[in-house]
Amino acid sequence: MPEIVFITTAGDEVRVGVPVGMSLMRGAIESGIDEIRAECGGVASCGTCKIILDEANQGKIAPASAIEGSMLEDDPSGYRLSCQIVVDAAMDGLVVRVAPAEY
Ligand code: FES
């Protein structure tokens, strides 16, 4: 099972095993990372599941879809919706930072 490293807004490192085929959002929630609120349940409409990828990790994930991109148009580079990222085996060791809440 790929291990994803979540960095919380407090700077804590949480290592989570996320099954292939599960979204990063679901993996975070099921591991108790409650900063990922995911209020829309994963349909790319709330923006409360944002994570940040540094440059080294951006190439490990497929580019955002048009729908995801429209939710991120006001965010800096590297922001993604964790509900739209489906974990695959190549993501083992991926490091993502939880984005600060916007409100
Ligand atoms: S859970 Fe709402 S946009 Fe991802």
Side-chain angles (χ1 to χ4, degrees):
M1 185 181 313
E3 182 180 75
I4 309 296
V5 182
F6 289 90
I7 310 293
T8 69
T9 56
D12 296 325
E13 189 176 293
V14 183
R15 294 179 176 272
V16 176
V18 182
V20 169
M22 179 179 279
S23 72
L24 276 184
M25 175 275 277
R26 184 63 54 200
I29 287 175
E30 291 191 2
S31 301
I33 300 174
D34 57 9
E35 291 175 295
I36 300 280
R37 297 197 315 275
E39 292 172 356
C40 76
V43 296
S45 66
C46 72
T48 62
C49 69
K50 290 178 184 174
I51 50 96
I52 306 165
L53 296 167
D54 63 21
E55 270 188 41
N57 285 290
Q58 289 179 21
K60 297 179 180 176
I61 294 179
S65 67
I67 292 172
E68 182 184 358
S70 71
M71 288 292 294
L72 300 170
E73 57 191 13
D74 294 329
D75 293 308
S77 174
Y79 273 63
R80 297 293 301 267
L81 299 179
S82 62
C83 69
Q84 300 302 300
I85 298 172
V86 177
V87 171
D88 64 34
M91 292 183 194
D92 187 44
L94 183 74
V95 178
V96 303
R97 288 190 291 128
V98 178
E102 295 172 348
Y103 52 90

